[in-house]
Amino acid sequence: MNFGIIIYFLGCILAIEGALMVLPCIIALIYQETSGFWFLGIGCLCGVLGWLMAHKKPKNSVVYAKEGFVAVSLSWIVLSFFGALPFWLSREIPRFEDALFEVISGFTTTGSSILSDVEALSHTMLAWRSFTHWIGGMGVLVFLLAILPMGAGYNIHIMRAESPGPVVGKLVPRVKTSAAILYLIYFSMTVTEIILLLASGMHWFDAICLSFGSAGTGGFGILNDSCASYTVLQQVIITIFIIMFGVNFNFYYLLLIRKPKDALKSEEVRAYFGIILVSALLITWNIRDYFPSILTAFQQTMFQVGSIITTTGYSTLDFDLWPSFSKWIMVLLMFIGACAGSTGGGLKVSRVMMVVKTGAREIQSLIHPRSVKVLKFEGKPMDSSLIRSLGIYLAMYFVTLFVSVLIISLENYDLETNFTAVVATINNIGPGLSKVGASCNFGFFNPLSKVVIMFDMLAGRLELFPMLVLFSPQTWTQAWKIRK
């Protein structure tokens, strides 16, 4: 285990987090709020600790898969711990486990909250809360890869550990350049949404916070009713952007280099838009009597469907009041999630498509035992190792999900609450059904359940294995033997 490079990464992460706390300090100055002093103090502390840990670059900068997974998972835990301190020390969230829950939910772009009255928070805290979505959306270590010159041989393991999806590749030969391109697209789309929301008449603070949440597909609103108070035009703009941020960023890269035909060939992107459209039409038909017109029903449905499949979690109404048919379509969308290589969570459309194709081939082989069919996805053959890793991921995903449901069921809440609370957090969505619906919060869970849910949020954001490797005793016993 290369402990030197792991400590170096943690130091860099702390230094970056300290620099990022400048934003809430600026908001505090604008609104003349004393809560900015906490961010100034914690930001300086992060900067000092970061410098002490990373001022000297280790000679061995090579990171293999194990080190990459450990570095990524520890980075997210450290990032969340220090990010929670301003909430707790300012007493705006009095209990530390609640402050940690809120910040982990922010960085993992989940959007689940323990707060019953969001509007009671200061503007400074609301800004930091939304900004954590933007930081976590693309991944802070991807940002690190984009700005730091480091030795070859380590980059792709870090990128694979932090980027969502079954297959992570490079847009261009150099990982550093790929990371920079990703952040350029991410930043440009965020700024575009802010400008459009401002042009629609939205207040600048709301526009920035909601754009941070849309970009990271997070879901922290700054009003108690999430997005219900905004105009139809503003809701439409938000709908368009949350769906856009759920698209694989390779699609935008191909458009950027003027290869629209290659971009439109993507099976996953076509399936993603198809699932959204079919789901929206089915739900609109099912809830048409709930609205004054079919157009209003479709607009509201598109917002909720886009918000759930991209795992954003914004809402304009409580879809827990919809008929069972519509509610369970929403639950299915929670599992499917957005595209791989996007800021969205869930299983990913690509994985679902691979499972369907694998299942269809197995059925065909039963009917025609001698037939040989090569499975392809996005024009490339699906080799046995990819299918094997897909099966292992799904197995570990459902084991984690059901164990989590079992543990939080000790509190004896109804099955719908327990099941959708875990589904909503392991898929980084935010709202579930029943007691954790769009108009509710997670504050009623006891500390044990909150720890389980926090683990699920981190595991879901990091595609399970970085967190599972971190908590595997073999990782540390083997590292200790090597060190000895």
Side-chain angles (χ1 to χ4, degrees), residues 21-34:
M21 286 187 177
V22 170
L23 178 69
C25 291
I26 293 172
I27 298 296
L29 283 173
I30 293 171
Y31 285 97
Q32 298 182 348
E33 294 173 341
T34 57

Side-chain angles (χ1 to χ4, degrees), residues 203-412:
H203 187 268
W204 68 268
F205 183 79
D206 297 53
I208 291 173
C209 289
L210 289 175
S211 296
F212 284 159
S214 300
T217 58
F220 278 154
I222 60 174
L223 300 176
N224 288 330
D225 63 5
S226 189
C227 293
S229 298
Y230 300 112
T231 66
V232 172
L233 174 60
Q234 290 163 352
Q235 291 176 5
V236 169
I237 292 170
I238 294 169
T239 303
I240 292 169
F241 274 90
I242 58 179
I243 291 174
M244 286 175 62
F245 279 109
V247 174
N248 191 321
F249 275 53
N250 286 357
F251 177 84
Y252 299 121
Y253 173 70
L254 290 172
L255 293 180
L256 192 66
I257 61 174
R258 298 180 182 179
K259 292 185 177 180
K261 289 184 179 179
D262 292 340
L264 295 172
K265 286 179 183 177
S266 172
E267 291 181 61
E268 183 183 31
V269 174
R270 294 201 305 269
Y272 169 72
F273 283 111
I275 292 168
I276 290 173
L277 182 59
V278 170
S279 301
L281 290 174
L282 288 173
I283 294 175
T284 299
W285 172 81
N286 189 230
I287 64 169
R288 62 192 183 280
D289 295 333
Y290 286 59
F291 297 92
S293 69
I294 195 73
L295 189 61
T296 303
F298 182 74
Q299 180 264 318
Q300 289 293 311
T301 299
M302 278 297 293
F303 188 100
Q304 317 314 319
V305 167
S307 182
I308 291 299
I309 194 171
T310 60
T311 70
T312 304
Y314 284 147
S315 63
T316 56
L317 46 79
D318 187 0
F319 56 80
D320 196 29
L321 302 176
W322 285 356
S324 294
F325 178 76
S326 296
K327 284 197 294 185
W328 286 104
I329 289 178
M330 298 292 276
V331 172
L332 287 174
L333 295 177
M334 290 180 185
F335 280 103
I336 294 171
C339 296
S342 71
T343 60
L347 286 172
K348 307 295 180 300
V349 174
S350 56
R351 279 200 183 96
V352 174
M353 293 180 70
M354 289 178 188
V355 169
V356 171
K357 287 190 173 190
T358 305
R361 186 185 67 172
E362 290 303 310
I363 292 172
Q364 186 180 20
S365 66
L366 290 173
I367 299 171
H368 304 287
R370 295 185 180 180
S371 67
V372 178
K373 183 179 179 182
V374 177
L375 286 180
K376 290 187 176 181
F377 181 71
E378 302 287 14
K380 298 177 182 178
M382 292 170 54
D383 57 30
S384 57
S385 63
L386 178 60
I387 296 172
R388 175 179 169 274
S389 65
L390 175 64
I392 293 170
Y393 177 85
L394 290 175
M396 296 308 299
Y397 172 89
F398 285 108
V399 167
T400 305
L401 189 150
F402 288 121
V403 169
S404 299
V405 172
L406 183 65
I407 294 173
I408 70 170
S409 294
L410 292 170
E411 292 199 60
N412 205 31

